[in-house]
Every structure is written in structure tokens, then in C-alpha cells.
Amino acid sequence: MSNHRILGTRAVRLDAAAKATGRALYTDDITLPGMLHGAILHSPVAHATIKSIDTSKAVALPGVKAVLTAADVPEIPFGVSPARYDERVLARDKVLYVGDEVAAVAAVDLETAREALELIEVEYEPLDIILDARQALAEGAPQIHPMYEGNLSARVEQEFGDVDSARAKATVICSGRLESEMQDGAFLEPQAAIAELDDQGNLTLTTSTQSVHYIQRTVAMVLSMPVGKVRVVKPAVGGGFGPKAACSTMELLTCLLARATHRPVKIAFTREEVFLHSRARHKFIHHMTLGASADGKLLFLDHEALLDGGAYASFGIATVYYAGSLLGGPYKLPSMRYKGTRSVTNKPTCGAQRGHGGVIARALFERLLDEVAEKLGADPVDLRLQNMMEAGDVTCNDLNMSSLGMRECIEAVRDGSGWQEKRGRLPRGRGIGVACGFFVSGAGYPIYRSDTFHSTAEVKLQEDGGTVLVRSAAADIGQGTDTALAMIAAETIGVDLDQVRVISGDTDLSVDLGAYSSRQTLMTGHAVREAAQKVRDQVLEVLAERLGVSMSDLRVEAGLVLPAEGVDLDFATLRTQYTKEHRGWTDNPTDGPLTFREASRLAFLERGTMVATGGYKPPILGGKFKGAAVGTSPAYGCSAQVVELSVDLETGQISVDSVTDAHDCGQAINLTSVEGQMQGSVSMGLCEALFEQVRFDAKGRCLNANLADYKIPTAMDMPKVDCIVVETDEPNGPYGAKEVGEGAIMPTIPAVLNALHDALGARFERLPLTAQQVATALRTGRPVAAESPQPDTKGYCKIDD
Amino acid sequence: MKKMLSMTVNGAPLEVAVHTHATLAEVLRGELGLTGTKVGCGEGDCGACTVLLDGEPVNSCLVLALQAAGRTVTTIEGLSAEGAAAGESLHPVQAAFVEAGAIQCGFCSPGMILSAAALLRRCPDPTEADVRVALSGNLCRCTGYQKIIEATLAAAESLATSHAGDNSDREGGRP
Ligand code: FES
Ligand code: FES
């Protein structure tokens, strides 16, 4: 669709060779001179008061350099959103879950640090444990966190349009429930951090994070330091998917231990600690009623959700809003009511994970759409097409679909999957299902209230003129941001990709909110494009002056400065000047057009460093109601998928045979990376649908805090994913680009649920769809029912030891 | 307690004093500075720490360093150094991974690439199913495996082409 030279191609990623050879450095690969090793003591009990802590034996252990407990660390509370700053660096009087941080040690080596942890004596007085969100909200349940009366972490009540009168007009009404289980991020690199202080009191924290900016602010706030004296750097990061977006106690403890010991300190999580820290996908219980007119027009959605939040808020407030707001589209839905509740329980804290808050809600909504289609005798694809929004439509909750290739996506997967021949025609045990979804291309507002730029970037031309340096605090955590930014810079200036270098992930370079809400391609992309345009214009200005022409008489293409169409120019004097500058050099250009390298060098000689900054801040978005900010975005990516699966009618085992996936990412920047995000999303979604589930025993101890018992997909589990990239021109995106990293997970789970109905004729209400669950349904004739999102009416029941 | 360990790492014989309970992964990363070997779990579940021990892929977090005594270890650093064709910096499997977009966060990549290289040495013309089985001990959370599988098959092809008329075993690692 575009006539770009660089954008939309398949670029080899800038970091790929370093990662293939093992040369790329991740945090735990870094060792500093004199570095100490830290370790954290976690609570072994889910809910208790701390009677006493005795660290004397640990302090006395040779090699131990510091032992910190709550008494030694700042009392300043922190968290994700300022209204819910509910975490402290170390537990003071109470622990709230198995894993809550109680003490920390720095020692000469890891072995000594771990040995010291065993010498710390903590006396706990156990309290009643609540592991179930419905019980946590029941009358009489003991309060877990002092800030949250009734264990209520957040409640959302919203209504758009008039649901009750729409219901009165509806002829087809379907309602149902869906209950999921807590998921883990399961990124391959466990979190790690290294802190060091220099002699002027400047702190550098190197950490495996998705957002250097948010970490910098939190560290500065908790350590009471000026933000400018805190530098946060992100080396290579081994995946994040959401859980690495918030500042963790571990990051803060690393800084505090470095401050206490005057030496660099590293802490690296074990895999078990990754599970305990969590901040991954919540357990959701949804109940929805969806109504349509006799001719298939959607009229209303009445929706209730309950989120099991675990001990602290983290990103969870945004999660509970997203769970409602992301159902406003992509279908025309005139009215929608949402009651969302997030409860506190004695479990690890849940937060943001790919498709933040919207994934399970989307799954039930799309399952109900199929039920509406069934009642109307309509094809599920046709019903979706009939109700599809168009570009420019605004949802009932004020989300503006400034571009929307949803129709193209669903048509592409229908035609690409053989839907028409297969739907309803496959033998029992085999099924095909479809679903759609969309997601933000960057949250419209930062997580703290601020007029800050969401992204700034700097583009500098090196003094030799031949290299373009992009500097940004954006976080490439594996998704390929650095390469996308380099491509945008190259395209904008008119040079080749190999002339661009990117340094990123460092708060010293720019302000960037980081890698969450699928924001960097659009937001950082805008900032880089602006900076690149400015710096190119600086060069052209000098050149135009020298040649006595106007800037519009010049253009830059493929690394060459060329006269604009119909203009005749002589660059000979410029070339001569450049050649004289480089006597003795063997690579001087002799004939052919002036290169951008020459032009940029000459501009430097005349004006000094060619450097420019760019910035992006979204316009004011969304409605005026409470919570209107969550779900707003300058643009929305969208996708459709068709899943084909087979069920073993004996064992209940589901195998997914194929996935046809179409995603509208606006203008694709790097086609290979777009497909990579689509395939990665499908893999995370499929396995959330089929087997991922963090499990706990009655005492709140995680039963599968390892990658053997917590199953993530292997190469044997994944079917072939057929990727169809749909491109639209997004007016609010740089070069028309928008997200792909999260929207692509939205249709996966509901497409599985709908395919399972096609295979077995049953609507499943619980995730994951384990073989055991399916086998039980096959035997009894009906799937296990989900719980209601209402508090447990039986009331809070004490859990006996 | 420490003991002297002699082994050949990436073609070079060496001696290093190691704790008797130290794992091969710890010694490679810590004592020898070969941080290309990643530790994703330390429990034998993820495959990120895969190295070749006498040419066979093993989880180096489960192997005691002393078990490598007198044996040959190839890490990702050695694969590129030993395995690349003249004038190239990458082994054909690495080159294929780079080219195919099989690397996202890259944390699984060293282990994945070594498992793929070991497969292609054992079985130069694998089917897609062979590749899936051979890589099933290496977890990847980012890619959904598709581009990894495509890269491995592409590497098999490029190895076949470059080996036509050249029987030398270039992948290194075998004594
Ligand atoms: S680190 Fe060895 S298998 Fe995971
Ligand atoms: S590329 Fe990230 S785990 Fe494989």
C-alpha cells in the first residue's frame, strides 16, 4: 500500500546477531568490580503478623555486608498508581502472601547471602487466610490489607446508553459466565537488577525492566533522591509481557543494599521468585448478558466482573477498568453496563499481562456472540460483519476507532481458513471457531497523572556525517522496538538502515514511558520521526544556503542528496570541499550524486553538531466519566482468528490443528517482527486457553512455581499459525503505524471456545480447558459451571489448618 | 571444597578450580565468563542453559562441572567461532535464526541454536516433526516457535548446499 523504501520490509533485527552469538548482555550477565550479591527473605506463610525478627546471627556470618529489615528501609509507600501506593519495601508488622518480602541480605557471594537468609529468625503469628476473591468480599471476612476495607481493592460502575430499555427491546438475549485461572508471565529471563552509587551520590540501576522511566521515578521517590540523580538502564531483556513494567521491591532493595554497603549489589530472582512476585494475569470471573434485535443488531451488554487481585494493587486498578472498557468495540454496541470488582486475597499480586485486562472479557463476549448467532440462525462471521464498526466510529464509551481494518481481517481469516466449507460440517470431535478483538496502541494517559511527554527522542548525526544515532529511553524487551525506530529514522531521513544506530533503554537519553500498552511503535515512533525530520532539515538548510536554492529544491533518497524533480543543481564545489577535508582517505566519493554523508559532514563543519529532539504526547482523549482514561488511545489495532481443533473423545485432550490469524497493524514497520508478535500472541493465548494455571494449596503456597509443573507451550504444542498482515492507514500513527503486540492475543481464547462448541456442542465456562475438564464434560454431558462474580453468599468460612 | 577440573571448552583445553557442587552452567558463566549460556530456571526445565557436551545437548544447569572432566564442551560462543564458514561470523544455524526473525528477546536463542545445531549434525535432513521433537526441551515464550522451526529447516538446507563436495564437519564440538 505504501511507497516506502524501508518501512514494510523484512529487516534483520539490529540485535539479532548479538543474541545469536551469546554476546548480548542481560542483567545477570553483568559483573561489576567489588560487586556484592543480594538475596531476599520471603514470607513462608500467607497471612500473619510479624512478632519479631532477629537478624543477629545473619549479621555475624562472615561475608555478610548488610542485612535489612523494615526498620532499616524507608517507610515511603509505593506502587503503580499514586492513589493505590500500597506496597512497602519490606513488611513491617504483617505479611500478606507467601512470598511477601521480609528482609534482605548483601554478601560477598550468593551462597553466603542465601546462608544468611536461613539465619534470620522471624516469629509469625498466623492469621486466617483468604485465597478466594468471592470469600474475601463476603460479609465478615477479615481485612487483609489495612488500606482496603472489605478487601475491596477497586470497584467500577459504569453505564453507557440505557441498558434497561435496550433490554426491553431485545428479542435475542444470551447470558453466560466464564471463569479463568491466574496465569504467569513465564518470560524466560528471571528479573535481575544491579545498583551502584558513584562518589557524587548518583545512583545507577541496571535492571530487567519494561520501563526505565517508571522505575526511575519510583526509586527516586522511595529513596528520597532527585530524579536526575537516579539513572535506570535496561540491558538486553529476556521478555516481559507486562509483569516487568512496575517497579519491584527487588529493584528497590538492590538500591538500598548498594546504599548501605557502598558497593555495587546484584539481586537475581530464581524461577520460584518469578512466580511469587508474579504481577501477571489475574484470575477473572465474568458474567455477561448480551442482547440483539430480531434482525441481528447488537443492542446491549450487561457485564459484571470479579478479579482476584492478590495482596497488592500493582497495575490492577487499570486491569479492572480495561476488563470493561475494551468491550466497547469493535462492534457497534449502543449500550453497555459494567460492574467490575477487584478484591484483595492472600496470594501473589496480579497486574498487567499481554492484552491487559481484556483477554478473558473478550473471550466471554465473543463466545456469547456465537450464541446470539446460533439463536438467530446466522453464521458467526456474518453476525460479526453485520455489527462491525467502521473507521471513524466512536464506541459508546468514547473510544475513537480512527482506523479499523476489522472487516478486512475477518474476511481474510474466513477465506484463508476454508471457513465456509468447514463450519458446522466437521465430524464430532473436530471444530472450527472464529473471534475478533482489538487493543490500544498506547495508553492515552500515563500511570501517574501528568502532562509529561509520553516519549521524547533525540536523533544526532555523527560528525563524520555517515551515521545516524537514535537515542531513546524506550525499552526493547524482545519485541523489536530498536529496529522499528531505526527503520523509522532511516525512512524519514532517506538513508539506508545500516547507517542508523540505536541506543535505548536509558533514562539519561530521553523520557519514554516504556514497553507497555503496546505504545512504543506509535508513540516513540512519532518522537523519532519528528527528531529525524528536524535533523534532516537542518542539513538541507545548510546545503540550500550554500547552493543558493530553497530547501524544497532538495530531497534525500537512499542515502543520496538529489535535486527535486525538474531542478538542475551542481554539487561539485561541495564535493570538492568534502574531498579536501578527507585527504588520504581511500573511501572518498569521486563521481555520482552527493551523498547524505557528505552533506551532513559539511553541515557539521558549518554549524556544529546536527542534533534534534522530537516528542509525543497524545491529544486529550476519551469521555468525562470516572475511569474514562482507561481504554483510550490514539489508535487501535485489531485482529481476527479462526482456530481449528480436534478433541480426543476418550481423554478429552484438545489439539489445535491450525490457526489463521489476521491483524491490522496500520502501516507495518518490520513485517517479520509483526508476524513474530502475532505468532507469540497466539502461543500465549492458546496455552492460557488450554493449560496454563498457577495453583495454590490451602495455605496459599504456590504448587507449581517452576517451568515443569507450570506448563508453557513447547515446540510440540504449537500448531502452524498462518499470519495475514492487514494494513490500514492510521491517521494518528507515525506513517500510519499502530500496535500488534497485544491486540493479536484477543481472539485466540474465544476462537478456541467457539471451535470447541463446534466440536462438541457445549459451551465451556472454565479455563483452562484441561483434558480432565473436557473429559468430565464428555462423560456427564455438560461442562463444569463457573462461579458467579458475586461475593460468596455462604459468607466467609475459616480455613482450618 | 574446590577441585581442579580439566576439560576442553570451545576447542581450547583448560583447567579451572571449581566447587564440587558447582554446576557446569555456573562455572561457564561465572569462572569462565561465557555468559552466552543463559539460566532461565536452574532446574532443568527450560533449556536456556543448553550446551553441547561431547556434541550432545545437555542442560548445563543440571550437570555438575566435574562431570565434564576430560570432555569437550561447546557453548554458543564456540559455535560461532568454530562453526562459521571462512569470512563469516556466524554458524549457518545462527545465520538462519538471524535471517528468519527467529530471535525476539533472545534469551532462549543460545540454547535453542545449540539444540538445533546438534539435531542437524545427527540428522542433516530433518522433517518439521523432527525439528519440533528436537527443540521440545527448549522453551521460548516469545516466538510461538514457528520462525525457529523455519530457521532450523532453512539451516539444514544451507548446510546441505555448503557440504556438497565438502565433507569436513564444520560445526565443531566433536573431539
Ligand atoms: S536453566 Fe537449565 S534448564 Fe533452565
Ligand atoms: S525469543 Fe524470547 S524466549 Fe525465545
Side-chain angles (χ1 to χ4, degrees):
Chain A
M1 61 170 270
S2 62
N3 48 0
H4 301 304
R5 279 187 65 244
I6 311 268
L7 303 186
T9 61
R10 294 186 177 276
V12 166
R13 283 175 44 161
L14 307 182
D15 54 352
K19 287 173 171 174
T21 53
R23 274 197 288 270
L25 290 181
Y26 299 77
T27 304
D28 197 27
D29 299 336
I30 299 168
T31 302
L32 298 177
M35 187 177 85
L36 301 173
H37 294 263
I40 300 172
L41 184 69
H42 299 275
S43 168
V45 292
H47 197 196
T49 48
I50 300 177
K51 303 285 286 176
S52 65
I53 306 182
D54 182 353
T55 60
S56 54
K57 285 186 196 145
V59 172
L61 184 72
V64 170
K65 300 295 176 189
V67 181
L68 303 179
T69 66
D72 312 302
V73 298
E75 270 190 66
I76 298 166
F78 68 96
V80 169
S81 48
R84 299 282 194 311
Y85 281 170
D86 60 359
E87 296 183 58
R88 310 263 165 161
V89 180
L90 289 169
R92 208 152 283 267
D93 341 287
K94 238 183 122 176
V95 288
L96 306 190
Y97 72 101
V98 174
D100 218 349
E101 296 86 353
V102 177
V105 172
V108 290
D109 55 36
L110 190 55
E111 237 185 340
T112 311
R114 291 202 176 133
E115 197 182 331
L117 291 184
E118 283 173 24
L119 297 174
I120 298 175
E121 287 163 15
V122 188
E123 202 186 326
Y124 296 101
E125 184 159 299
L127 298 166
D128 286 337
I129 299 168
I130 312 176
L131 301 174
D132 179 285
R134 299 174 65 240
Q135 289 186 359
L137 295 172
E139 285 272 317
Q143 186 168 337
I144 295 171
H145 191 295
M147 272 172 67
Y148 305 119
E149 218 173 290
N151 298 318
L152 187 64
S153 160
R155 175 158 286 160
V156 181
E157 294 199 22
Q158 296 175 333
E159 181 164 354
F160 309 98
D162 184 346
V163 168
D164 290 329
S165 60
R167 182 191 277 261
K169 287 188 211 116
T171 24
V172 178
I173 295 180
C174 294
S175 61
R177 288 177 186 169
L178 188 63
E179 178 173 354
S180 69
E181 297 299 335
M182 181 178 165
Q183 204 189 5
D184 187 73
F187 33 80
L188 261 271
E189 181 215 13
Q191 290 95 328
I194 302 172
E196 59 179 319
L197 275 152
D198 70 12
D199 293 326
Q200 283 107 46
N202 299 306
L203 175 74
T204 301
L205 177 67
T206 304
T207 181
S208 169
T209 184
Q210 297 177 224
S211 168
V212 290
H213 175 79
Y214 287 136
I215 311 306
Q216 178 195 36
R217 274 182 65 93
T218 311
V219 167
M221 182 181 79
V222 174
L223 273 72
S224 301
M225 290 177 70
V227 168
K229 280 182 169 288
V230 176
R231 176 183 177 203
V232 179
V233 182
K234 172 215 73 70
V237 169
F241 311 112
K244 289 181 182 172
C247 186
S248 72
T249 302
M250 183 270 274
E251 288 166 314
L252 292 164
L253 280 171
T254 312
C255 297
L256 291 164
L257 287 167
R259 188 149 88 176
T261 58
H262 306 290
R263 284 172 64 172
V265 175
K266 179 198 278 184
I267 302 183
F269 270 173
T270 61
R271 181 51 64 180
E272 184 185 15
E273 287 178 303
V274 174
F275 278 87
L276 297 184
H277 179 69
S278 181
R279 269 67 176 173
R281 177 113 57 229
H282 290 67
K283 172 187 169 79
F284 294 83
I285 305 177
H286 290 278
H287 183 160
M288 292 179 196
T289 305
L290 183 62
S293 64
D295 59 353
K297 260 206 232 141
L298 296 181
L299 296 177
F300 76 92
L301 170 70
D302 203 352
H303 174 201
E304 204 177 335
L306 174 61
L307 283 67
D308 181 350
Y312 300 104
S314 187
F315 269 94
I317 312 309
T319 318
V320 68
Y321 277 107
Y322 269 128
S325 68
L326 290 180
L327 295 178
Y331 309 101
K332 293 182 185 131
L333 184 63
S335 68
M336 176 166 89
R337 178 156 58 206
Y338 174 53
K339 275 190 208 158
T341 307
R342 182 182 189 272
S343 90
V344 181
T345 55
N346 293 118
K347 285 193 295 198
T349 304
C350 298
Q353 188 165 326
R354 196 174 219 162
H356 193 183
V359 171
I360 307 300
R362 172 61 52 194
L364 178 54
F365 184 88
E366 297 280 328
R367 199 198 79 194
L368 287 176
L369 267 183
D370 263 35
E371 298 187 39
V372 170
E374 190 183 14
K375 282 203 184 166
L376 288 165
D379 181 285
V381 168
D382 294 340
L383 182 79
R384 284 172 172 83
L385 280 171
Q386 182 193 345
N387 286 281
M388 202 60 80
M389 299 176 84
E390 305 282 343
D393 285 352
V394 177
T395 67
C396 65
N397 55 338
D398 290 326
L399 312 182
N400 186 338
M401 300 292 141
S402 39
S403 64
L404 191 73
M406 201 62 258
R407 179 174 294 274
E408 291 86 332
C409 286
I410 195 166
E411 286 172 352
V413 296
R414 178 194 61 198
D415 301 341
S417 65
W419 171 267
Q420 257 127 349
E421 303 84 73
K422 290 174 184 164
R423 170 73 194 179
R425 307 218 173 110
L426 297 172
R428 182 169 161 80
R430 285 188 55 204
I432 187 167
V434 69
C436 300
F438 77 105
F439 199 69
V440 301
S441 298
Y445 297 85
I447 55 176
Y448 59 92
R449 223 169 260 202
S450 170
D451 290 329
T452 181
F453 278 87
H454 290 216
S455 289
T456 64
E458 192 183 287
V459 175
K460 179 176 170 253
L461 304 175
Q462 297 299 72
E463 75 202 47
D464 73 327
T467 302
V468 176
L469 193 61
V470 177
R471 297 203 280 212
S472 144
D476 194 328
I477 57 170
Q479 76 285 53
T481 307
D482 283 355
T483 309
L485 298 179
M487 292 173 81
I488 288 173
E491 183 73 45
T492 306
I493 296 180
V495 295
D496 287 332
L497 190 55
D498 62 7
Q499 280 181 268
V500 183
R501 273 173 58 204
V502 177
I503 29 178
S504 65
D506 182 337
T507 53
D508 274 1
L509 301 173
S510 85
V511 168
D512 197 291
L513 302 185
Y516 72 100
S517 73
S518 291
R519 53 174 297 290
Q520 293 184 148
T521 297
L522 188 143
M523 297 194 182
T524 318
H526 265 304
V528 168
R529 182 186 187 179
E530 187 189 343
Q533 229 153 23
K534 282 191 198 163
V535 86
R536 168 184 165 277
D537 287 351
Q538 287 175 18
V539 172
L540 291 187
E541 199 180 281
V542 174
L543 226 56
E545 224 175 79
R546 291 281 304 270
L547 295 166
V549 298
S550 87
M551 273 167 65
S552 59
D553 290 334
L554 300 164
R555 65 196 167 96
V556 186
E557 210 181 282
L560 302 174
V561 181
L562 303 167
E565 201 92 17
V567 180
D568 201 17
L569 289 176
D570 184 7
F571 294 105
T573 46
L574 298 176
R575 163 117 336 135
T576 311
Q577 189 195 349
Y578 181 88
T579 321
K580 280 188 181 160
E581 268 284 319
H582 295 83
R583 273 197 202 102
W585 293 49
T586 53
D587 63 342
N588 282 340
T590 48
D591 49 14
L594 193 74
T595 61
F596 185 74
R597 175 175 166 183
E598 290 169 275
S600 150
R601 171 69 182 167
L602 296 177
F604 165 77
L605 293 175
E606 197 145 322
R607 297 250 178 112
T609 300
M610 295 283 114
V611 58
T613 61
Y616 179 79
K617 188 192 279 205
I620 292 171
L621 295 165
K624 294 268 177 285
F625 54 93
K626 186 169 185 284
V630 184
T632 60
S633 177
Y636 298 91
C638 57
S639 41
Q641 285 165 21
V642 167
V643 164
E644 223 183 305
L645 53 74
S646 328
V647 184
D648 182 320
L649 296 173
E650 296 293 309
T651 64
Q653 185 77 41
I654 296 171
S655 36
V656 175
D657 304 317
S658 71
V659 178
T660 312
D661 181 5
H663 187 93
D664 163 24
C665 62
Q667 161 71 49
I669 304 291
N670 187 349
L671 261 183
T672 310
S673 293
V674 170
E675 289 168 356
Q677 287 301 305
M678 292 169 72
Q679 290 160 351
S681 289
V682 167
S683 117
M684 190 173 275
L686 275 185
C687 296
E688 182 172 4
L690 299 181
F691 44 72
E692 288 187 35
Q693 169 179 13
V694 183
R695 289 179 291 113
F696 298 90
D697 70 8
K699 292 186 173 175
R701 293 174 298 207
C702 182
L703 287 169
N704 53 349
N706 60 68
L707 294 175
D709 299 317
Y710 183 87
K711 301 252 178 268
I712 66 167
T714 70
M716 307 277 283
D717 299 311
M718 280 303 297
K720 183 157 161 22
V721 180
D722 211 345
C723 290
I724 304 161
V725 178
V726 170
E727 290 182 291
T728 55
D729 188 9
E730 167 54 53
N732 300 323
Y735 294 101
K738 50 185 186 177
E739 74 83 42
V740 57
E742 299 185 80
I745 197 176
M746 290 294 174
T748 312
I749 300 175
V752 169
L753 286 167
N754 290 338
L756 194 55
H757 178 264
D758 189 42
L760 302 179
R763 306 270 178 209
F764 281 75
E765 297 189 11
R766 277 181 188 262
L767 298 171
L769 297 159
T770 57
Q772 196 187 5
Q773 192 200 159
V774 177
T776 309
L778 286 168
R779 215 172 42 245
T780 61
R782 52 179 311 208
V784 191
E787 296 289 358
S788 139
Q790 297 286 336
D792 194 338
T793 44
K794 296 191 294 292
Y796 161 71
C797 28
K798 272 194 168 200
I799 296 154
D800 297 324
D801 268 5
Chain B
M1 201 189 48
K2 285 199 168 184
K3 267 196 168 174
M4 283 312 282
L5 159 69
S6 327
M7 57 182 172
T8 300
V9 177
N10 298 332
L14 56 83
E15 290 210 338
V16 53
V18 303
H19 278 292
T20 48
H21 58 258
T23 65
L24 183 56
E26 285 166 351
V27 170
L28 290 171
R29 288 177 52 80
E31 313 299 320
L32 304 179
L34 295 169
T35 52
T37 300
K38 303 299 173 199
V39 176
C41 69
E43 302 170 318
D45 299 328
C46 75
C49 64
T50 302
V51 299
L52 305 184
L53 189 58
D54 291 339
E56 288 305 316
V58 295
N59 288 330
S60 63
C61 72
L62 286 189
V63 176
L64 286 178
L66 290 173
Q67 287 176 274
R71 301 170 76 180
T72 296
V73 179
T74 304
T75 69
I76 192 70
E77 291 90 346
L79 189 74
S80 41
E82 296 166 18
E88 309 263 325
S89 58
L90 300 175
H91 180 280
V93 176
Q94 289 170 316
F97 269 60
V98 167
E99 193 57 38
I103 299 174
Q104 290 192 26
C105 85
F107 204 77
C108 70
S109 308
M112 197 72 82
I113 288 169
L114 285 166
S115 290
L119 164 74
L120 298 186
R121 182 169 319 128
R122 199 170 64 233
C123 167
D125 186 20
T127 62
E128 182 185 320
D130 295 335
V131 176
R132 287 185 186 270
V133 172
L135 300 183
S136 63
N138 292 80
L139 298 178
C140 175
R141 187 60 150 173
C142 299
T143 63
Y145 301 99
Q146 191 152 318
K147 291 188 186 297
I148 290 175
I149 292 159
E150 287 163 9
T152 308
L153 292 170
E157 239 169 78
S158 90
L159 277 164
T161 328
S162 72
H163 278 189
D166 165 16
N167 286 327
S168 70
D169 180 3
R170 266 212 294 262
E171 291 98 299
R174 265 209 210 286

